[in-house]
PDB file of all heavy atoms in Angstrom:
ATOM      1  N   HIS F  12      -3.292  16.033  -5.423  1.00  0.00           N
ATOM      2  CA  HIS F  12      -3.380  16.978  -6.524  1.00  0.00           C
ATOM      3  C   HIS F  12      -3.650  16.322  -7.881  1.00  0.00           C
ATOM      4  O   HIS F  12      -3.082  16.699  -8.898  1.00  0.00           O
ATOM      5  CB  HIS F  12      -2.118  17.844  -6.591  1.00  0.00           C
ATOM      6  CG  HIS F  12      -1.852  18.558  -5.301  1.00  0.00           C
ATOM      7  ND1 HIS F  12      -0.693  18.387  -4.579  1.00  0.00           N
ATOM      8  CD2 HIS F  12      -2.618  19.405  -4.580  1.00  0.00           C
ATOM      9  CE1 HIS F  12      -0.759  19.125  -3.479  1.00  0.00           C
ATOM     10  NE2 HIS F  12      -1.917  19.746  -3.454  1.00  0.00           N
ATOM     11  N   ALA F  38     -12.044  -0.432  -7.500  1.00  0.00           N
ATOM     12  CA  ALA F  38     -12.083   0.798  -6.709  1.00  0.00           C
ATOM     13  C   ALA F  38     -12.651   0.419  -5.348  1.00  0.00           C
ATOM     14  O   ALA F  38     -13.838   0.142  -5.224  1.00  0.00           O
ATOM     15  CB  ALA F  38     -12.944   1.850  -7.381  1.00  0.00           C
ATOM     16  N   GLY F  41     -14.271   5.211  -2.815  1.00  0.00           N
ATOM     17  CA  GLY F  41     -14.662   6.227  -3.779  1.00  0.00           C
ATOM     18  C   GLY F  41     -15.678   5.703  -4.773  1.00  0.00           C
ATOM     19  O   GLY F  41     -15.694   4.513  -5.096  1.00  0.00           O
ATOM     20  N   GLU F  56      -9.397  -4.712 -16.991  1.00  0.00           N
ATOM     21  CA  GLU F  56      -8.688  -5.991 -17.011  1.00  0.00           C
ATOM     22  C   GLU F  56      -7.397  -5.934 -17.815  1.00  0.00           C
ATOM     23  O   GLU F  56      -7.012  -6.904 -18.466  1.00  0.00           O
ATOM     24  CB  GLU F  56      -9.619  -7.088 -17.520  1.00  0.00           C
ATOM     25  CG  GLU F  56     -10.804  -7.299 -16.578  1.00  0.00           C
ATOM     26  CD  GLU F  56     -11.661  -8.502 -16.947  1.00  0.00           C
ATOM     27  OE1 GLU F  56     -11.399  -9.100 -18.007  1.00  0.00           O
ATOM     28  OE2 GLU F  56     -12.574  -8.830 -16.169  1.00  0.00           O
ATOM     29  N   SER F  66     -14.345  11.538 -14.546  1.00  0.00           N
ATOM     30  CA  SER F  66     -14.881  10.313 -13.943  1.00  0.00           C
ATOM     31  C   SER F  66     -14.689  10.302 -12.430  1.00  0.00           C
ATOM     32  O   SER F  66     -15.342   9.533 -11.721  1.00  0.00           O
ATOM     33  CB  SER F  66     -14.225   9.079 -14.558  1.00  0.00           C
ATOM     34  OG  SER F  66     -12.829   9.076 -14.351  1.00  0.00           O
ATOM     35  N   TYR F  73      -9.904   8.384  -3.245  1.00  0.00           N
ATOM     36  CA  TYR F  73     -10.121   7.107  -3.926  1.00  0.00           C
ATOM     37  C   TYR F  73      -8.974   6.161  -3.605  1.00  0.00           C
ATOM     38  O   TYR F  73      -7.826   6.596  -3.429  1.00  0.00           O
ATOM     39  CB  TYR F  73     -10.186   7.305  -5.445  1.00  0.00           C
ATOM     40  CG  TYR F  73     -11.390   8.104  -5.905  1.00  0.00           C
ATOM     41  CD1 TYR F  73     -11.364   9.494  -5.903  1.00  0.00           C
ATOM     42  CD2 TYR F  73     -12.560   7.471  -6.338  1.00  0.00           C
ATOM     43  CE1 TYR F  73     -12.461  10.238  -6.320  1.00  0.00           C
ATOM     44  CE2 TYR F  73     -13.656   8.201  -6.754  1.00  0.00           C
ATOM     45  CZ  TYR F  73     -13.602   9.579  -6.743  1.00  0.00           C
ATOM     46  OH  TYR F  73     -14.698  10.307  -7.150  1.00  0.00           O
ATOM     47  N   ARG F  86      -1.992 -12.004  -5.879  1.00  0.00           N
ATOM     48  CA  ARG F  86      -1.347 -10.883  -5.201  1.00  0.00           C
ATOM     49  C   ARG F  86      -2.111  -9.612  -5.533  1.00  0.00           C
ATOM     50  O   ARG F  86      -2.931  -9.585  -6.451  1.00  0.00           O
ATOM     51  CB  ARG F  86       0.103 -10.731  -5.668  1.00  0.00           C
ATOM     52  CG  ARG F  86       1.010 -11.918  -5.350  1.00  0.00           C
ATOM     53  CD  ARG F  86       2.283 -11.850  -6.191  1.00  0.00           C
ATOM     54  NE  ARG F  86       1.994 -12.117  -7.606  1.00  0.00           N
ATOM     55  CZ  ARG F  86       2.703 -11.624  -8.617  1.00  0.00           C
ATOM     56  NH1 ARG F  86       3.708 -10.798  -8.359  1.00  0.00           N
ATOM     57  NH2 ARG F  86       2.408 -11.935  -9.853  1.00  0.00           N
ATOM     58  N   ASP F 134      -2.000  24.971   0.528  1.00  0.00           N
ATOM     59  CA  ASP F 134      -0.890  24.418  -0.247  1.00  0.00           C
ATOM     60  C   ASP F 134      -1.093  24.592  -1.752  1.00  0.00           C
ATOM     61  O   ASP F 134      -0.146  24.397  -2.531  1.00  0.00           O
ATOM     62  CB  ASP F 134      -0.705  22.929   0.062  1.00  0.00           C
ATOM     63  CG  ASP F 134      -0.213  22.693   1.479  1.00  0.00           C
ATOM     64  OD1 ASP F 134       0.312  23.649   2.086  1.00  0.00           O
ATOM     65  OD2 ASP F 134      -0.355  21.558   1.969  1.00  0.00           O
ATOM     66  N   MET F 136      -2.370  27.402  -3.190  1.00  0.00           N
ATOM     67  CA  MET F 136      -2.327  28.816  -3.558  1.00  0.00           C
ATOM     68  C   MET F 136      -1.002  29.134  -4.264  1.00  0.00           C
ATOM     69  O   MET F 136      -0.027  28.394  -4.125  1.00  0.00           O
ATOM     70  CB  MET F 136      -2.495  29.672  -2.312  1.00  0.00           C
ATOM     71  CG  MET F 136      -3.805  29.425  -1.588  1.00  0.00           C
ATOM     72  SD  MET F 136      -5.261  29.931  -2.525  1.00  0.00           S
ATOM     73  CE  MET F 136      -5.328  31.661  -2.070  1.00  0.00           C
ATOM     74  N   VAL F 138      -4.098  31.572  -6.265  1.00  0.00           N
ATOM     75  CA  VAL F 138      -5.098  31.441  -7.319  1.00  0.00           C
ATOM     76  C   VAL F 138      -4.693  32.328  -8.495  1.00  0.00           C
ATOM     77  O   VAL F 138      -4.289  33.478  -8.319  1.00  0.00           O
ATOM     78  CB  VAL F 138      -6.491  31.848  -6.801  1.00  0.00           C
ATOM     79  CG1 VAL F 138      -7.501  31.882  -7.946  1.00  0.00           C
ATOM     80  CG2 VAL F 138      -6.955  30.877  -5.726  1.00  0.00           C
ATOM     81  N   ARG F 141      -7.470  33.448 -15.871  1.00  0.00           N
ATOM     82  CA  ARG F 141      -7.384  33.841 -17.281  1.00  0.00           C
ATOM     83  C   ARG F 141      -8.792  34.131 -17.768  1.00  0.00           C
ATOM     84  O   ARG F 141      -9.773  33.589 -17.251  1.00  0.00           O
ATOM     85  CB  ARG F 141      -6.724  32.756 -18.148  1.00  0.00           C
ATOM     86  CG  ARG F 141      -7.480  31.437 -18.220  1.00  0.00           C
ATOM     87  CD  ARG F 141      -6.715  30.427 -19.046  1.00  0.00           C
ATOM     88  NE  ARG F 141      -7.350  29.111 -19.039  1.00  0.00           N
ATOM     89  CZ  ARG F 141      -8.252  28.705 -19.924  1.00  0.00           C
ATOM     90  NH1 ARG F 141      -8.642  29.519 -20.896  1.00  0.00           N
ATOM     91  NH2 ARG F 141      -8.770  27.494 -19.854  1.00  0.00           N
ATOM     92  N   ARG F 162      -8.749  42.780 -14.827  1.00  0.00           N
ATOM     93  CA  ARG F 162      -8.240  43.276 -16.104  1.00  0.00           C
ATOM     94  C   ARG F 162      -9.299  44.140 -16.778  1.00  0.00           C
ATOM     95  O   ARG F 162     -10.485  44.026 -16.483  1.00  0.00           O
ATOM     96  CB  ARG F 162      -7.875  42.110 -17.031  1.00  0.00           C
ATOM     97  CG  ARG F 162      -6.758  41.189 -16.548  1.00  0.00           C
ATOM     98  CD  ARG F 162      -5.413  41.898 -16.563  1.00  0.00           C
ATOM     99  NE  ARG F 162      -4.325  41.012 -16.220  1.00  0.00           N
ATOM    100  CZ  ARG F 162      -3.567  40.367 -17.111  1.00  0.00           C
ATOM    101  NH1 ARG F 162      -3.807  40.506 -18.402  1.00  0.00           N
ATOM    102  NH2 ARG F 162      -2.584  39.585 -16.720  1.00  0.00           N
ATOM    103  N   LEU F 178     -26.999  40.072 -29.833  1.00  0.00           N
ATOM    104  CA  LEU F 178     -27.047  38.970 -28.881  1.00  0.00           C
ATOM    105  C   LEU F 178     -25.956  39.153 -27.812  1.00  0.00           C
ATOM    106  O   LEU F 178     -24.893  39.727 -28.097  1.00  0.00           O
ATOM    107  CB  LEU F 178     -26.844  37.635 -29.597  1.00  0.00           C
ATOM    108  CG  LEU F 178     -27.926  37.252 -30.606  1.00  0.00           C
ATOM    109  CD1 LEU F 178     -27.530  35.984 -31.349  1.00  0.00           C
ATOM    110  CD2 LEU F 178     -29.272  37.067 -29.913  1.00  0.00           C
ATOM    111  N   ALA F 184     -14.323  33.495 -17.021  1.00  0.00           N
ATOM    112  CA  ALA F 184     -13.142  33.569 -16.152  1.00  0.00           C
ATOM    113  C   ALA F 184     -12.807  32.155 -15.713  1.00  0.00           C
ATOM    114  O   ALA F 184     -13.698  31.393 -15.316  1.00  0.00           O
ATOM    115  CB  ALA F 184     -13.420  34.450 -14.940  1.00  0.00           C
ATOM    116  N   GLN F 189      -2.333  26.354  -8.282  1.00  0.00           N
ATOM    117  CA  GLN F 189      -1.007  26.077  -8.852  1.00  0.00           C
ATOM    118  C   GLN F 189      -0.890  24.664  -9.412  1.00  0.00           C
ATOM    119  O   GLN F 189       0.049  24.375 -10.155  1.00  0.00           O
ATOM    120  CB  GLN F 189       0.081  26.330  -7.816  1.00  0.00           C
ATOM    121  CG  GLN F 189       0.109  25.364  -6.643  1.00  0.00           C
ATOM    122  CD  GLN F 189       1.406  25.471  -5.874  1.00  0.00           C
ATOM    123  OE1 GLN F 189       2.490  25.571  -6.461  1.00  0.00           O
ATOM    124  NE2 GLN F 189       1.317  25.447  -4.548  1.00  0.00           N
ATOM    125  N   TYR F 190      -1.855  23.792  -9.089  1.00  0.00           N
ATOM    126  CA  TYR F 190      -1.849  22.439  -9.647  1.00  0.00           C
ATOM    127  C   TYR F 190      -2.845  22.302 -10.793  1.00  0.00           C
ATOM    128  O   TYR F 190      -3.167  21.206 -11.229  1.00  0.00           O
ATOM    129  CB  TYR F 190      -2.143  21.418  -8.549  1.00  0.00           C
ATOM    130  CG  TYR F 190      -1.084  21.419  -7.476  1.00  0.00           C
ATOM    131  CD1 TYR F 190      -1.313  22.050  -6.254  1.00  0.00           C
ATOM    132  CD2 TYR F 190       0.155  20.832  -7.694  1.00  0.00           C
ATOM    133  CE1 TYR F 190      -0.335  22.076  -5.273  1.00  0.00           C
ATOM    134  CE2 TYR F 190       1.138  20.857  -6.719  1.00  0.00           C
ATOM    135  CZ  TYR F 190       0.886  21.478  -5.513  1.00  0.00           C
ATOM    136  OH  TYR F 190       1.863  21.506  -4.543  1.00  0.00           O
ATOM    137  N   GLU F 237      -4.786  17.362 -20.879  1.00  0.00           N
ATOM    138  CA  GLU F 237      -3.473  16.800 -20.634  1.00  0.00           C
ATOM    139  C   GLU F 237      -3.578  15.615 -19.690  1.00  0.00           C
ATOM    140  O   GLU F 237      -4.325  15.642 -18.722  1.00  0.00           O
ATOM    141  CB  GLU F 237      -2.545  17.848 -20.018  1.00  0.00           C
ATOM    142  CG  GLU F 237      -2.279  19.033 -20.948  1.00  0.00           C
ATOM    143  CD  GLU F 237      -1.315  20.016 -20.324  1.00  0.00           C
ATOM    144  OE1 GLU F 237      -0.897  19.756 -19.172  1.00  0.00           O
ATOM    145  OE2 GLU F 237      -0.982  21.014 -20.969  1.00  0.00           O
ATOM    146  N   TYR F 246       4.373  -2.987  -5.495  1.00  0.00           N
ATOM    147  CA  TYR F 246       4.040  -4.235  -4.768  1.00  0.00           C
ATOM    148  C   TYR F 246       5.098  -4.494  -3.695  1.00  0.00           C
ATOM    149  O   TYR F 246       6.264  -4.211  -3.893  1.00  0.00           O
ATOM    150  CB  TYR F 246       3.959  -5.422  -5.730  1.00  0.00           C
ATOM    151  CG  TYR F 246       2.958  -5.183  -6.796  1.00  0.00           C
ATOM    152  CD1 TYR F 246       3.344  -4.833  -8.069  1.00  0.00           C
ATOM    153  CD2 TYR F 246       1.597  -5.216  -6.495  1.00  0.00           C
ATOM    154  CE1 TYR F 246       2.412  -4.555  -9.043  1.00  0.00           C
ATOM    155  CE2 TYR F 246       0.665  -4.946  -7.452  1.00  0.00           C
ATOM    156  CZ  TYR F 246       1.082  -4.610  -8.734  1.00  0.00           C
ATOM    157  OH  TYR F 246       0.146  -4.335  -9.683  1.00  0.00           O
TER     158      TYR F 246
END
Side-chain angles (χ1 to χ4, degrees):
H12 304 121
E56 296 188 354
S66 60
Y73 294 84
R86 297 164 290 151
D134 292 341
M136 300 294 275
V138 173
R141 63 182 175 91
R162 297 291 185 95
L178 296 174
Q189 68 165 318
Y190 297 102
E237 296 182 359
Y246 302 103

